[in-house]
Amino acid sequence: MNRYLYIIIIITLVIIVAVLGYKVFKIEKTVDCNNPATFVEQRFQLDAGFQTSARYLNKLAKLDACEMQSKFRPALEKNTLSEQDQKQLQEKLMIFAITKDIEIKASSYAFLNKVFFWISLFLAICIIVIPVTSTLVKDGSKLHKIMSPAQLPAITLLAGLCFSFYADYKGKQTSAENLIRYAYFSNDPIKEISSTVRTALSEIDSGQDFYDLIKD
């Protein structure tokens, strides 16, 4: 029984590490600004693989900026770009910069909420496994000491804390993704978009509010 339990725990940990590693090191389609002829094809390929909405929209914003820059390249090289075209190009570049800033935040929150989700899931499994295992092992054995039901309150509190962090970071990720949707799809002036994003990011970037956790 001792050996089988250790095997189950090791397999669970390996699955968690593998999933997190895939999220961090997975290969995704990137935007190639050096091949203007493939811009249309690239737009259809950007959704390949698993990725967050924020990362996808940031790639679209980058592709838009590359297309605009490629369109005006001859005028830029000759220094004959009109003021209106220059304004359009600057707006596209600003939208890309804004979406990139939000995407960095959203990706960080996405990584953190996945870490705490898998930890809380593992602890929840322990809460179920420990009472069952403790009834199957003999008193005085090492496994009985390790899987003692007396540890359940501490494990339950830790699982609840990890789930609270998961819910908090998941909410921040969702808020950041909604913000990047606004920045990319909005028809508001670029100054208004920039101001709204700065204010919203300041609110989203606030730390964990432990007072809200304990006041209930």
Side-chain angles (χ1 to χ4, degrees):
M1 182 65 188
N2 192 341
R3 182 177 61 182
Y4 291 126
L5 182 62
Y6 287 149
I7 292 175
I8 292 173
I9 293 175
I10 291 173
I11 291 175
T12 303
L13 293 175
V14 168
I15 292 174
I16 292 173
V17 172
V19 171
L20 291 177
Y22 171 75
K23 302 296 184 183
V24 175
F25 300 108
K26 62 182 179 296
I27 299 175
E28 298 176 357
K29 293 287 184 179
T30 57
V31 175
D32 185 4
C33 292
N34 297 320
N35 294 307
T38 64
F39 283 161
V40 175
E41 182 181 354
Q42 288 186 57
R43 192 173 294 276
F44 287 100
Q45 293 178 345
L46 287 180
D47 60 349
F50 180 87
Q51 57 188 320
T52 62
S53 298
R55 187 166 297 178
Y56 173 68
L57 291 178
N58 174 246
K59 290 178 182 178
L60 287 180
K62 182 178 181 180
L63 188 55
D64 290 343
C66 290
E67 288 179 332
M68 185 71 71
Q69 191 172 30
S70 176
K71 177 182 177 181
F72 295 145
R73 187 178 300 279
L76 285 170
E77 292 176 350
K78 297 177 181 179
N79 199 23
T80 58
L81 189 65
S82 66
E83 184 176 345
Q84 183 178 359
D85 290 342
Q86 186 174 3
K87 181 180 179 182
Q88 290 181 1
L89 178 58
Q90 288 177 346
E91 288 181 351
K92 290 295 184 182
L93 293 174
M94 281 289 293
I95 290 296
F96 168 62
I98 291 172
T99 56
K100 183 61 179 178
D101 186 27
I102 303 172
E103 187 269 331
I104 291 173
K105 296 289 184 184
S107 297
S108 300
Y109 294 138
F111 174 77
L112 289 172
N113 81 58
K114 288 178 178 62
V115 170
F116 284 108
F117 170 79
W118 286 106
I119 293 176
S120 61
L121 179 62
F122 175 74
L123 294 174
I125 294 174
C126 290
I127 293 172
I128 298 174
V129 170
I130 287 177
V132 176
T133 305
S134 63
T135 61
L136 300 177
V137 296
K138 297 180 179 179
D139 293 342
S141 66
K142 293 182 179 179
L143 183 60
H144 185 269
K145 296 178 181 178
I146 295 174
M147 308 299 289
S148 173
Q151 301 171 0
L152 280 178
I155 296 177
T156 303
L157 288 173
L158 185 58
L161 181 62
C162 289
F163 186 81
S164 174
F165 278 116
Y166 156 72
D168 181 66
Y169 286 123
K170 183 63 177 178
K172 290 179 182 293
Q173 178 194 349
T174 302
S175 298
E177 289 179 345
N178 288 333
L179 184 61
I180 203 172
R181 292 184 186 105
Y182 160 74
Y184 182 76
F185 293 111
S186 177
N187 292 322
D188 294 340
I190 190 66
K191 289 184 178 180
E192 182 177 342
I193 292 175
S194 178
S195 177
T196 302
V197 168
R198 285 199 304 269
T199 303
L201 281 181
S202 297
E203 296 177 357
I204 295 172
D205 226 10
S206 59
Q208 172 71 273
D209 192 350
F210 287 99
Y211 175 73
D212 289 337
L213 298 178
I214 62 177
K215 70 179 182 179
D216 295 334

